[in-house]
């Protein structure tokens, strides 16, 4: 089954605005993690939210999880040009062992100065 | 701050040649992973490794792939006879069992010509 579909595929905002990215998935999960990837570079871990959590904060990041709707959102507040990157959600499905992650297609965020 | 490292950062090889990609996971992590990302596509799981053996592998991880932890620090991915379609960014990751967060290395860009 396809997991971790993000929307929008691309988002362009002005510096200082908030950016919201959404992720949907299809099967039950242990946790969901968000990553950032600058063009052609590695994946930077942003935040993990467990299946029994509904909201989590880290600095300017706020993640929500709705397991009944199988969806998550990542909010970046007061965005900066340096936040320009691709953002991926990745799920750790209950059906698999060993915490293999299933990634979505990602949202390309552009923050204009 | 501890991080996952990978070498080389870029490898160019001819079709049919063997390549070994190297990773040094974070030292107190016990689960290790390889993922790949074909240009413009999403990150895909290849294999997970725990307690010196493969714990799970995807359908991509066929007989031409192998993994090894030859000593206490290195974790390698070998591709025996590379194909053009193996061209991708290969990421190593390790998991912190206290939180189940997966941390990724910077990747090795493999180009098969």
């Amino acid at each position: 089954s396809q997991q971790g579909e993000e929307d929008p595929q691309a988002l362009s905002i002005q510096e200082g605005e908030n950016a919201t990215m959404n992720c949907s998935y299809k099967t039950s999960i242990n946790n969901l993690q968000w990553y950032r990837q600058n063009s052609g570079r590695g994946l930077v871990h942003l935040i993990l939210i467990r299946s029994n959590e509904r909201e989590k904060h880290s600095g300017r990041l706020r993640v929500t999880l709705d397991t009944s709707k199988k969806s998550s959102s990542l909010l970046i507040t007061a965005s900066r040009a340096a936040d320009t990157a691709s953002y991926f959600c990745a799920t750790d499905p209950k059906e698999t062992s060993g915490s293999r992650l299933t990634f979505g297609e990602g949202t390309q965020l552009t923050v204009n100065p | 701050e501890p991080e996952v490292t990978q070498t080389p950062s870029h490898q160019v090889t001819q079709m049919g040649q063997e390549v070994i990609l190297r990773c040094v996971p974070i030292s107190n992590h016990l689960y290790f992973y390889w993922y790949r990302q074909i240009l413009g596509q999403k990150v895909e799981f290849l294999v997970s490794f725990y307690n010196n053996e493969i714990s799970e592998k995807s359908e991509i991880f066929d007989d031409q792939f192998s993994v090894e932890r030859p000593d206490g620090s290195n974790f390698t991915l070998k591709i025996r006879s590379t194909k053009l379609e193996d061209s991708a960014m290969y990421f190593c990751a390790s998991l912190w069992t206290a939180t189940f967060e997966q941390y990724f290395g910077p990747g090795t860009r493999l180009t098969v010509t």
Side-chain angles (χ1 to χ4, degrees):
Chain A
S1 62
Q2 191 173 12
Q3 292 274 78
E5 300 178 2
E6 290 96 334
D7 79 86
Q9 289 188 326
L11 179 62
S12 181
I13 59 174
Q14 296 299 121
E15 220 168 14
E17 294 180 340
N18 295 341
T20 300
M21 289 159 273
N22 302 297
C23 167
S24 61
Y25 58 91
K26 288 187 165 54
T27 66
S28 295
I29 60 173
N30 294 311
N31 62 66
L32 184 147
Q33 303 184 48
W34 284 90
Y35 291 86
R36 184 185 75 230
Q37 184 181 38
N38 290 85
S39 180
R41 309 290 291 276
L43 294 156
V44 175
H45 188 271
L46 296 177
I47 198 163
L48 177 152
I49 187 164
R50 300 180 201 282
S51 60
N52 61 354
E53 296 176 310
R54 292 297 164 257
E55 188 171 312
K56 205 162 179 181
H57 297 253
S58 177
R60 294 184 295 114
L61 304 180
R62 174 177 166 255
V63 169
T64 63
L65 180 65
D66 186 335
T67 53
S68 66
K69 295 181 180 177
K70 291 187 169 58
S71 67
S72 174
S73 68
L74 171 68
L75 168 67
I76 303 174
T77 60
S79 62
R80 305 166 182 166
D83 295 330
T84 295
S86 292
Y87 291 81
F88 297 89
C89 69
T91 53
D92 174 5
K94 282 189 189 293
E95 65 191 14
T96 62
S97 62
S99 295
R100 61 182 280 181
L101 294 178
T102 302
F103 281 79
E105 305 280 350
T107 293
Q108 173 61 50
L109 173 66
T110 301
V111 181
N112 301 300
Chain B
E1 186 174 320
E3 58 184 19
V4 177
T5 60
Q6 289 185 243
T7 55
S9 57
H10 191 189
Q11 173 98 40
V12 180
T13 189
Q14 288 191 326
M15 197 166 50
Q17 295 296 304
E18 173 183 287
V19 294
I20 298 176
L21 310 183
R22 292 184 167 80
C23 167
V24 179
I26 296 172
S27 64
N28 60 346
H29 290 188
L30 301 176
Y31 287 83
F32 315 117
Y33 305 82
W34 284 101
Y35 294 82
R36 79 174 185 190
Q37 184 181 33
I38 295 171
L39 187 63
Q41 298 186 22
K42 59 184 177 181
V43 177
E44 302 173 287
F45 167 80
L46 293 177
V47 66
S48 58
F49 193 86
Y50 171 72
N51 201 24
N52 283 319
E53 60 183 29
I54 291 173
S55 60
E56 196 173 5
K57 58 184 181 181
S58 72
E59 54 278 3
I60 302 169
F61 194 88
D62 61 24
D63 291 346
Q64 72 162 335
F65 291 92
S66 63
V67 289
E68 197 175 40
R69 188 159 161 83
D71 53 43
S73 59
N74 290 287
F75 179 50
T76 63
L77 174 69
K78 182 192 291 187
I79 309 175
R80 289 190 184 81
S81 178
T82 50
K83 305 179 183 124
L84 294 175
E85 54 264 37
D86 293 328
S87 294
M89 182 78 96
Y90 287 81
F91 293 107
C92 172
S94 65
L95 180 142
W96 187 23
T97 50
T99 62
F100 287 88
E101 292 169 340
Q102 277 191 40
Y103 293 92
F104 283 70
T108 293
R109 181 168 299 284
L110 176 65
T111 303
V112 182
T113 61

